[in-house]
Amino acid sequence: MRLRDGALRDRVALFAGTAVALLCVGFSAVVLITTDRVATQNLVSEITAVGELTAYYVDRGQVINPLPPISDDMVRPVQVVDPKGRVVAATKELQNKPVMADFAPQNPQRVASEVVCHSVLSPDRCHIVVAQRVYRDGDWTIYTAAPTLPFYAYPLVAAILLAGTVVFTGAVAWGARHTVIRSLRPVEAIRAQLDHYRSFDLGRRVPVPKPDDEIRRLAESVNETLNRLEDALERQRRFCSDASHELRTPITAIRAQLEDALMAPEDVDPLLLCHAVMPSVERLQSIASDLLTLARLDAGTPHERRPVELSGLVADELRGHQDREVVQHLMPGLTVMGDGSHLRQMLAHLLRNAQRHAASTVTVTLRCGEPDPRGDVAEIEVLDDGSGIAADQRETVFDRFTRLDTARSRDAGGVGLGLPIARQIAESHGGTLTIQDSDRGARFVVRLPLASHQNGNGNGSALAVRHHGTGQERR
């Protein structure tokens, strides 16, 4: 199994162990190098001390050959070389041997040291040689030597460092793995809970651990997402149920009429049958069109944005809605960036809703509204003189397939999609659609941001057009 395919706990343990091992190796190397340098310096000091004692006897003219050992713990190879370069005295192991080194301290120095290999001291080992200069009727040179120390000057220290590296690396790797396992237990519980999550059991939530850490925040985010998912699925179920119910009504009517025609085909007038079926077909077409519009709005399908002059758009749309007396107050020169067909559709739904519930008159007002933080806005107000909407139901009417008056015939009104579509169109243009207080009837207000070049100034105009028709229920 490759490293990237392993469990998270193993990868973390391996990474932590490797990092600690490298750190321990680096630390051990520093310690060994430091101890080696300290030990070497101590050894050079000891060699120098042996030479200084020998120099004392040379300076007093008390040199004898062979040189006696100075003390039991300071037995070092020593050679005394006279100003002519002859070895005049040496320790026993260097009797009758040439000079151990060919260097000497240079003025004004009195002491010099070098590492000498393959010398008379040993053909297969290197030695530290210290040369000291003494003046007595010329420059005498005293050479003192000792074998170089290995890298691990103190084997016990090296063994302790090696054992400590192994133990510490293993302990950290085990600790990291154990810590990750314990830390991921809540994640495993969350995963197990999500694996058992089913659409028929929407109330289940993942466990939230007690420590206030990242995993707790993850669990809270997952539960919040599940809450939104539950709400979305519930809305989808309700939407599908309501859509099926709305579609079933015209389909049932068409089926009943066709079955009657099949039972007595000789008594059926095709023209009358078509006229009888057409309202149900038109209702099906309206529902299908609204559902398609909602699907596109929900999907966030981008639409082309162009400058739209609102007074002309509102005036054109009002010409097609003549069921009630309509009073217009349209301020010219207000331009927004948007999709003209969508804005026209939004206005059509608001007008149909107002005419359905108005007692006699619908008032449409276009004006420049109070600026918001984003800039100037245009307001479209659609007001009817009907019974109005209670304050606690003003948001309910924007739910899909919602109608406040359910006692009336469904065929008399809409299917409860017009106002939700109108609000989504307004919001897709960066605006809002709300219901505001009024003395009588329902007052729908659309606020849309004006185009960037718009200054919001214009002159108001009013137009009253009187038409009559029948009332319908609010949707």
Side-chain angles (χ1 to χ4, degrees), residues 199-228:
S199 60
F200 54 79
D201 187 13
L202 302 180
R204 301 181 66 173
R205 295 295 179 266
V206 300
V208 178
K210 293 182 179 180
D212 188 10
D213 54 11
E214 293 81 359
I215 298 179
R216 179 186 177 90
R217 291 190 286 273
L218 171 63
E220 292 173 346
S221 297
V222 169
N223 283 337
E224 183 62 28
T225 301
L226 292 177
N227 289 335
R228 292 194 296 268

PDB file of all heavy atoms in Angstrom, residues 199-228:
ATOM      1  N   SER A 199     -33.563   9.467   3.351  1.00  0.00           N
ATOM      2  CA  SER A 199     -34.563  10.512   3.131  1.00  0.00           C
ATOM      3  C   SER A 199     -35.812  10.306   3.966  1.00  0.00           C
ATOM      4  O   SER A 199     -36.551  11.253   4.232  1.00  0.00           O
ATOM      5  CB  SER A 199     -34.940  10.568   1.639  1.00  0.00           C
ATOM      6  OG  SER A 199     -35.479   9.323   1.217  1.00  0.00           O
ATOM      7  N   PHE A 200     -36.073   9.077   4.394  1.00  0.00           N
ATOM      8  CA  PHE A 200     -37.266   8.845   5.190  1.00  0.00           C
ATOM      9  C   PHE A 200     -37.014   9.083   6.684  1.00  0.00           C
ATOM     10  O   PHE A 200     -37.928   8.973   7.489  1.00  0.00           O
ATOM     11  CB  PHE A 200     -37.770   7.411   4.982  1.00  0.00           C
ATOM     12  CG  PHE A 200     -36.741   6.348   5.238  1.00  0.00           C
ATOM     13  CD1 PHE A 200     -36.427   5.946   6.533  1.00  0.00           C
ATOM     14  CD2 PHE A 200     -36.065   5.772   4.173  1.00  0.00           C
ATOM     15  CE1 PHE A 200     -35.480   4.980   6.762  1.00  0.00           C
ATOM     16  CE2 PHE A 200     -35.102   4.803   4.405  1.00  0.00           C
ATOM     17  CZ  PHE A 200     -34.806   4.396   5.698  1.00  0.00           C
ATOM     18  N   ASP A 201     -35.774   9.387   7.040  1.00  0.00           N
ATOM     19  CA  ASP A 201     -35.449   9.644   8.438  1.00  0.00           C
ATOM     20  C   ASP A 201     -34.690  10.970   8.505  1.00  0.00           C
ATOM     21  O   ASP A 201     -33.499  11.020   8.774  1.00  0.00           O
ATOM     22  CB  ASP A 201     -34.597   8.503   9.001  1.00  0.00           C
ATOM     23  CG  ASP A 201     -34.393   8.652  10.507  1.00  0.00           C
ATOM     24  OD1 ASP A 201     -35.097   9.471  11.107  1.00  0.00           O
ATOM     25  OD2 ASP A 201     -33.534   7.945  11.052  1.00  0.00           O
ATOM     26  N   LEU A 202     -35.409  12.055   8.235  1.00  0.00           N
ATOM     27  CA  LEU A 202     -34.768  13.356   8.102  1.00  0.00           C
ATOM     28  C   LEU A 202     -34.431  13.996   9.442  1.00  0.00           C
ATOM     29  O   LEU A 202     -33.743  15.008   9.477  1.00  0.00           O
ATOM     30  CB  LEU A 202     -35.694  14.299   7.313  1.00  0.00           C
ATOM     31  CG  LEU A 202     -36.086  13.813   5.910  1.00  0.00           C
ATOM     32  CD1 LEU A 202     -36.983  14.831   5.255  1.00  0.00           C
ATOM     33  CD2 LEU A 202     -34.838  13.592   5.066  1.00  0.00           C
ATOM     34  N   GLY A 203     -34.917  13.440  10.534  1.00  0.00           N
ATOM     35  CA  GLY A 203     -34.687  14.059  11.833  1.00  0.00           C
ATOM     36  C   GLY A 203     -33.381  13.673  12.484  1.00  0.00           C
ATOM     37  O   GLY A 203     -33.020  14.237  13.532  1.00  0.00           O
ATOM     38  N   ARG A 204     -32.638  12.743  11.926  1.00  0.00           N
ATOM     39  CA  ARG A 204     -31.392  12.301  12.545  1.00  0.00           C
ATOM     40  C   ARG A 204     -30.309  13.353  12.342  1.00  0.00           C
ATOM     41  O   ARG A 204     -30.221  13.997  11.304  1.00  0.00           O
ATOM     42  CB  ARG A 204     -30.943  10.974  11.945  1.00  0.00           C
ATOM     43  CG  ARG A 204     -31.959   9.857  12.115  1.00  0.00           C
ATOM     44  CD  ARG A 204     -31.458   8.558  11.538  1.00  0.00           C
ATOM     45  NE  ARG A 204     -30.312   8.049  12.265  1.00  0.00           N
ATOM     46  CZ  ARG A 204     -29.767   6.851  12.042  1.00  0.00           C
ATOM     47  NH1 ARG A 204     -30.275   6.050  11.116  1.00  0.00           N
ATOM     48  NH2 ARG A 204     -28.733   6.443  12.734  1.00  0.00           N
ATOM     49  N   ARG A 205     -29.467  13.511  13.373  1.00  0.00           N
ATOM     50  CA  ARG A 205     -28.371  14.467  13.321  1.00  0.00           C
ATOM     51  C   ARG A 205     -27.104  13.802  13.831  1.00  0.00           C
ATOM     52  O   ARG A 205     -27.143  12.833  14.584  1.00  0.00           O
ATOM     53  CB  ARG A 205     -28.683  15.705  14.176  1.00  0.00           C
ATOM     54  CG  ARG A 205     -29.863  16.538  13.657  1.00  0.00           C
ATOM     55  CD  ARG A 205     -29.552  17.141  12.311  1.00  0.00           C
ATOM     56  NE  ARG A 205     -30.674  17.922  11.806  1.00  0.00           N
ATOM     57  CZ  ARG A 205     -31.609  17.449  11.005  1.00  0.00           C
ATOM     58  NH1 ARG A 205     -31.570  16.163  10.632  1.00  0.00           N
ATOM     59  NH2 ARG A 205     -32.571  18.229  10.562  1.00  0.00           N
ATOM     60  N   VAL A 206     -25.980  14.317  13.408  1.00  0.00           N
ATOM     61  CA  VAL A 206     -24.698  13.737  13.809  1.00  0.00           C
ATOM     62  C   VAL A 206     -24.389  14.174  15.233  1.00  0.00           C
ATOM     63  O   VAL A 206     -24.808  15.247  15.684  1.00  0.00           O
ATOM     64  CB  VAL A 206     -23.570  14.185  12.857  1.00  0.00           C
ATOM     65  CG1 VAL A 206     -23.861  13.749  11.441  1.00  0.00           C
ATOM     66  CG2 VAL A 206     -23.381  15.693  12.909  1.00  0.00           C
ATOM     67  N   PRO A 207     -23.652  13.356  16.000  1.00  0.00           N
ATOM     68  CA  PRO A 207     -23.305  13.738  17.376  1.00  0.00           C
ATOM     69  C   PRO A 207     -22.323  14.900  17.397  1.00  0.00           C
ATOM     70  O   PRO A 207     -21.424  14.989  16.564  1.00  0.00           O
ATOM     71  CB  PRO A 207     -22.678  12.462  17.945  1.00  0.00           C
ATOM     72  CG  PRO A 207     -22.185  11.713  16.747  1.00  0.00           C
ATOM     73  CD  PRO A 207     -23.145  12.022  15.639  1.00  0.00           C
ATOM     74  N   VAL A 208     -22.511  15.792  18.350  1.00  0.00           N
ATOM     75  CA  VAL A 208     -21.639  16.959  18.513  1.00  0.00           C
ATOM     76  C   VAL A 208     -20.726  16.709  19.708  1.00  0.00           C
ATOM     77  O   VAL A 208     -21.207  16.560  20.835  1.00  0.00           O
ATOM     78  CB  VAL A 208     -22.461  18.244  18.727  1.00  0.00           C
ATOM     79  CG1 VAL A 208     -21.539  19.435  18.937  1.00  0.00           C
ATOM     80  CG2 VAL A 208     -23.383  18.479  17.535  1.00  0.00           C
ATOM     81  N   PRO A 209     -19.407  16.629  19.514  1.00  0.00           N
ATOM     82  CA  PRO A 209     -18.498  16.378  20.649  1.00  0.00           C
ATOM     83  C   PRO A 209     -18.481  17.552  21.615  1.00  0.00           C
ATOM     84  O   PRO A 209     -18.794  18.692  21.250  1.00  0.00           O
ATOM     85  CB  PRO A 209     -17.134  16.185  19.970  1.00  0.00           C
ATOM     86  CG  PRO A 209     -17.260  16.880  18.656  1.00  0.00           C
ATOM     87  CD  PRO A 209     -18.689  16.740  18.234  1.00  0.00           C
ATOM     88  N   LYS A 210     -18.104  17.286  22.851  1.00  0.00           N
ATOM     89  CA  LYS A 210     -18.108  18.322  23.887  1.00  0.00           C
ATOM     90  C   LYS A 210     -16.983  19.347  23.714  1.00  0.00           C
ATOM     91  O   LYS A 210     -17.221  20.542  23.897  1.00  0.00           O
ATOM     92  CB  LYS A 210     -18.018  17.668  25.270  1.00  0.00           C
ATOM     93  CG  LYS A 210     -19.259  16.857  25.645  1.00  0.00           C
ATOM     94  CD  LYS A 210     -19.124  16.272  27.043  1.00  0.00           C
ATOM     95  CE  LYS A 210     -20.385  15.470  27.412  1.00  0.00           C
ATOM     96  NZ  LYS A 210     -20.271  14.891  28.782  1.00  0.00           N
ATOM     97  N   PRO A 211     -15.750  18.931  23.410  1.00  0.00           N
ATOM     98  CA  PRO A 211     -14.685  19.944  23.288  1.00  0.00           C
ATOM     99  C   PRO A 211     -14.992  20.953  22.193  1.00  0.00           C
ATOM    100  O   PRO A 211     -15.474  20.610  21.110  1.00  0.00           O
ATOM    101  CB  PRO A 211     -13.441  19.101  22.932  1.00  0.00           C
ATOM    102  CG  PRO A 211     -13.763  17.726  23.394  1.00  0.00           C
ATOM    103  CD  PRO A 211     -15.241  17.564  23.221  1.00  0.00           C
ATOM    104  N   ASP A 212     -14.740  22.217  22.498  1.00  0.00           N
ATOM    105  CA  ASP A 212     -14.994  23.278  21.530  1.00  0.00           C
ATOM    106  C   ASP A 212     -13.786  23.391  20.597  1.00  0.00           C
ATOM    107  O   ASP A 212     -12.891  24.213  20.782  1.00  0.00           O
ATOM    108  CB  ASP A 212     -15.245  24.600  22.265  1.00  0.00           C
ATOM    109  CG  ASP A 212     -15.696  25.694  21.306  1.00  0.00           C
ATOM    110  OD1 ASP A 212     -15.990  25.367  20.138  1.00  0.00           O
ATOM    111  OD2 ASP A 212     -15.752  26.863  21.720  1.00  0.00           O
ATOM    112  N   ASP A 213     -13.758  22.538  19.585  1.00  0.00           N
ATOM    113  CA  ASP A 213     -12.645  22.524  18.646  1.00  0.00           C
ATOM    114  C   ASP A 213     -13.175  22.464  17.223  1.00  0.00           C
ATOM    115  O   ASP A 213     -14.367  22.657  16.968  1.00  0.00           O
ATOM    116  CB  ASP A 213     -11.714  21.337  18.933  1.00  0.00           C
ATOM    117  CG  ASP A 213     -12.473  20.004  18.950  1.00  0.00           C
ATOM    118  OD1 ASP A 213     -13.652  19.988  18.546  1.00  0.00           O
ATOM    119  OD2 ASP A 213     -11.887  18.992  19.373  1.00  0.00           O
ATOM    120  N   GLU A 214     -12.257  22.201  16.273  1.00  0.00           N
ATOM    121  CA  GLU A 214     -12.637  22.189  14.866  1.00  0.00           C
ATOM    122  C   GLU A 214     -13.651  21.094  14.556  1.00  0.00           C
ATOM    123  O   GLU A 214     -14.543  21.282  13.717  1.00  0.00           O
ATOM    124  CB  GLU A 214     -11.387  22.007  13.982  1.00  0.00           C
ATOM    125  CG  GLU A 214     -10.413  23.168  13.991  1.00  0.00           C
ATOM    126  CD  GLU A 214      -9.501  23.156  15.207  1.00  0.00           C
ATOM    127  OE1 GLU A 214      -9.649  22.241  16.052  1.00  0.00           O
ATOM    128  OE2 GLU A 214      -8.652  24.067  15.319  1.00  0.00           O
ATOM    129  N   ILE A 215     -13.520  19.940  15.225  1.00  0.00           N
ATOM    130  CA  ILE A 215     -14.440  18.834  14.951  1.00  0.00           C
ATOM    131  C   ILE A 215     -15.848  19.184  15.446  1.00  0.00           C
ATOM    132  O   ILE A 215     -16.849  18.857  14.795  1.00  0.00           O
ATOM    133  CB  ILE A 215     -13.932  17.541  15.595  1.00  0.00           C
ATOM    134  CG1 ILE A 215     -12.577  17.158  14.979  1.00  0.00           C
ATOM    135  CG2 ILE A 215     -14.930  16.409  15.428  1.00  0.00           C
ATOM    136  CD1 ILE A 215     -11.971  15.908  15.561  1.00  0.00           C
ATOM    137  N   ARG A 216     -15.936  19.877  16.569  1.00  0.00           N
ATOM    138  CA  ARG A 216     -17.252  20.315  17.050  1.00  0.00           C
ATOM    139  C   ARG A 216     -17.890  21.275  16.040  1.00  0.00           C
ATOM    140  O   ARG A 216     -19.083  21.164  15.725  1.00  0.00           O
ATOM    141  CB  ARG A 216     -17.114  20.989  18.416  1.00  0.00           C
ATOM    142  CG  ARG A 216     -18.450  21.493  18.973  1.00  0.00           C
ATOM    143  CD  ARG A 216     -18.253  22.282  20.271  1.00  0.00           C
ATOM    144  NE  ARG A 216     -19.519  22.804  20.754  1.00  0.00           N
ATOM    145  CZ  ARG A 216     -20.318  22.153  21.571  1.00  0.00           C
ATOM    146  NH1 ARG A 216     -19.992  20.949  22.015  1.00  0.00           N
ATOM    147  NH2 ARG A 216     -21.456  22.700  21.974  1.00  0.00           N
ATOM    148  N   ARG A 217     -17.078  22.214  15.545  1.00  0.00           N
ATOM    149  CA  ARG A 217     -17.622  23.146  14.557  1.00  0.00           C
ATOM    150  C   ARG A 217     -18.001  22.423  13.277  1.00  0.00           C
ATOM    151  O   ARG A 217     -18.983  22.795  12.611  1.00  0.00           O
ATOM    152  CB  ARG A 217     -16.602  24.252  14.287  1.00  0.00           C
ATOM    153  CG  ARG A 217     -16.420  25.189  15.484  1.00  0.00           C
ATOM    154  CD  ARG A 217     -15.601  26.409  15.116  1.00  0.00           C
ATOM    155  NE  ARG A 217     -14.197  26.079  14.956  1.00  0.00           N
ATOM    156  CZ  ARG A 217     -13.333  26.058  15.960  1.00  0.00           C
ATOM    157  NH1 ARG A 217     -13.725  26.336  17.191  1.00  0.00           N
ATOM    158  NH2 ARG A 217     -12.054  25.764  15.756  1.00  0.00           N
ATOM    159  N   LEU A 218     -17.237  21.382  12.903  1.00  0.00           N
ATOM    160  CA  LEU A 218     -17.609  20.580  11.739  1.00  0.00           C
ATOM    161  C   LEU A 218     -18.950  19.899  11.964  1.00  0.00           C
ATOM    162  O   LEU A 218     -19.818  19.900  11.084  1.00  0.00           O
ATOM    163  CB  LEU A 218     -16.520  19.540  11.462  1.00  0.00           C
ATOM    164  CG  LEU A 218     -16.854  18.477  10.407  1.00  0.00           C
ATOM    165  CD1 LEU A 218     -17.061  19.125   9.042  1.00  0.00           C
ATOM    166  CD2 LEU A 218     -15.763  17.417  10.345  1.00  0.00           C
ATOM    167  N   ALA A 219     -19.130  19.300  13.154  1.00  0.00           N
ATOM    168  CA  ALA A 219     -20.399  18.626  13.445  1.00  0.00           C
ATOM    169  C   ALA A 219     -21.556  19.613  13.425  1.00  0.00           C
ATOM    170  O   ALA A 219     -22.643  19.306  12.899  1.00  0.00           O
ATOM    171  CB  ALA A 219     -20.308  17.934  14.809  1.00  0.00           C
ATOM    172  N   GLU A 220     -21.346  20.800  13.976  1.00  0.00           N
ATOM    173  CA  GLU A 220     -22.410  21.804  13.964  1.00  0.00           C
ATOM    174  C   GLU A 220     -22.734  22.235  12.536  1.00  0.00           C
ATOM    175  O   GLU A 220     -23.906  22.434  12.188  1.00  0.00           O
ATOM    176  CB  GLU A 220     -21.989  23.002  14.810  1.00  0.00           C
ATOM    177  CG  GLU A 220     -21.910  22.692  16.305  1.00  0.00           C
ATOM    178  CD  GLU A 220     -21.332  23.837  17.111  1.00  0.00           C
ATOM    179  OE1 GLU A 220     -20.759  24.755  16.478  1.00  0.00           O
ATOM    180  OE2 GLU A 220     -21.461  23.823  18.350  1.00  0.00           O
ATOM    181  N   SER A 221     -21.693  22.384  11.701  1.00  0.00           N
ATOM    182  CA  SER A 221     -21.933  22.755  10.295  1.00  0.00           C
ATOM    183  C   SER A 221     -22.680  21.643   9.566  1.00  0.00           C
ATOM    184  O   SER A 221     -23.572  21.913   8.754  1.00  0.00           O
ATOM    185  CB  SER A 221     -20.602  23.051   9.599  1.00  0.00           C
ATOM    186  OG  SER A 221     -19.956  24.155  10.183  1.00  0.00           O
ATOM    187  N   VAL A 222     -22.302  20.376   9.849  1.00  0.00           N
ATOM    188  CA  VAL A 222     -22.998  19.259   9.212  1.00  0.00           C
ATOM    189  C   VAL A 222     -24.459  19.240   9.628  1.00  0.00           C
ATOM    190  O   VAL A 222     -25.356  19.052   8.791  1.00  0.00           O
ATOM    191  CB  VAL A 222     -22.307  17.925   9.573  1.00  0.00           C
ATOM    192  CG1 VAL A 222     -23.160  16.749   9.142  1.00  0.00           C
ATOM    193  CG2 VAL A 222     -20.931  17.844   8.919  1.00  0.00           C
ATOM    194  N   ASN A 223     -24.732  19.455  10.916  1.00  0.00           N
ATOM    195  CA  ASN A 223     -26.121  19.464  11.381  1.00  0.00           C
ATOM    196  C   ASN A 223     -26.896  20.625  10.773  1.00  0.00           C
ATOM    197  O   ASN A 223     -28.075  20.484  10.434  1.00  0.00           O
ATOM    198  CB  ASN A 223     -26.165  19.544  12.910  1.00  0.00           C
ATOM    199  CG  ASN A 223     -25.845  18.221  13.559  1.00  0.00           C
ATOM    200  OD1 ASN A 223     -25.993  17.160  12.949  1.00  0.00           O
ATOM    201  ND2 ASN A 223     -25.384  18.256  14.797  1.00  0.00           N
ATOM    202  N   GLU A 224     -26.234  21.773  10.630  1.00  0.00           N
ATOM    203  CA  GLU A 224     -26.910  22.904   9.997  1.00  0.00           C
ATOM    204  C   GLU A 224     -27.202  22.596   8.533  1.00  0.00           C
ATOM    205  O   GLU A 224     -28.278  22.933   8.014  1.00  0.00           O
ATOM    206  CB  GLU A 224     -26.024  24.151  10.109  1.00  0.00           C
ATOM    207  CG  GLU A 224     -26.662  25.416   9.552  1.00  0.00           C
ATOM    208  CD  GLU A 224     -27.922  25.812  10.295  1.00  0.00           C
ATOM    209  OE1 GLU A 224     -28.037  25.488  11.498  1.00  0.00           O
ATOM    210  OE2 GLU A 224     -28.809  26.429   9.676  1.00  0.00           O
ATOM    211  N   THR A 225     -26.259  21.929   7.881  1.00  0.00           N
ATOM    212  CA  THR A 225     -26.495  21.528   6.490  1.00  0.00           C
ATOM    213  C   THR A 225     -27.637  20.526   6.402  1.00  0.00           C
ATOM    214  O   THR A 225     -28.480  20.586   5.490  1.00  0.00           O
ATOM    215  CB  THR A 225     -25.217  20.921   5.893  1.00  0.00           C
ATOM    216  OG1 THR A 225     -24.164  21.878   5.961  1.00  0.00           O
ATOM    217  CG2 THR A 225     -25.426  20.519   4.444  1.00  0.00           C
ATOM    218  N   LEU A 226     -27.691  19.583   7.353  1.00  0.00           N
ATOM    219  CA  LEU A 226     -28.790  18.620   7.374  1.00  0.00           C
ATOM    220  C   LEU A 226     -30.127  19.309   7.633  1.00  0.00           C
ATOM    221  O   LEU A 226     -31.158  18.898   7.081  1.00  0.00           O
ATOM    222  CB  LEU A 226     -28.530  17.553   8.436  1.00  0.00           C
ATOM    223  CG  LEU A 226     -27.367  16.596   8.159  1.00  0.00           C
ATOM    224  CD1 LEU A 226     -27.171  15.642   9.331  1.00  0.00           C
ATOM    225  CD2 LEU A 226     -27.597  15.807   6.875  1.00  0.00           C
ATOM    226  N   ASN A 227     -30.113  20.352   8.460  1.00  0.00           N
ATOM    227  CA  ASN A 227     -31.343  21.112   8.675  1.00  0.00           C
ATOM    228  C   ASN A 227     -31.822  21.749   7.373  1.00  0.00           C
ATOM    229  O   ASN A 227     -33.014  21.699   7.040  1.00  0.00           O
ATOM    230  CB  ASN A 227     -31.121  22.197   9.729  1.00  0.00           C
ATOM    231  CG  ASN A 227     -30.957  21.620  11.125  1.00  0.00           C
ATOM    232  OD1 ASN A 227     -31.444  20.525  11.405  1.00  0.00           O
ATOM    233  ND2 ASN A 227     -30.283  22.346  12.002  1.00  0.00           N
ATOM    234  N   ARG A 228     -30.877  22.359   6.655  1.00  0.00           N
ATOM    235  CA  ARG A 228     -31.253  22.976   5.373  1.00  0.00           C
ATOM    236  C   ARG A 228     -31.698  21.916   4.380  1.00  0.00           C
ATOM    237  O   ARG A 228     -32.642  22.144   3.594  1.00  0.00           O
ATOM    238  CB  ARG A 228     -30.074  23.779   4.814  1.00  0.00           C
ATOM    239  CG  ARG A 228     -29.734  25.010   5.636  1.00  0.00           C
ATOM    240  CD  ARG A 228     -28.808  25.934   4.871  1.00  0.00           C
ATOM    241  NE  ARG A 228     -27.523  25.319   4.596  1.00  0.00           N
ATOM    242  CZ  ARG A 228     -26.470  25.433   5.383  1.00  0.00           C
ATOM    243  NH1 ARG A 228     -26.553  26.138   6.502  1.00  0.00           N
ATOM    244  NH2 ARG A 228     -25.326  24.859   5.049  1.00  0.00           N
TER     245      ARG A 228
END
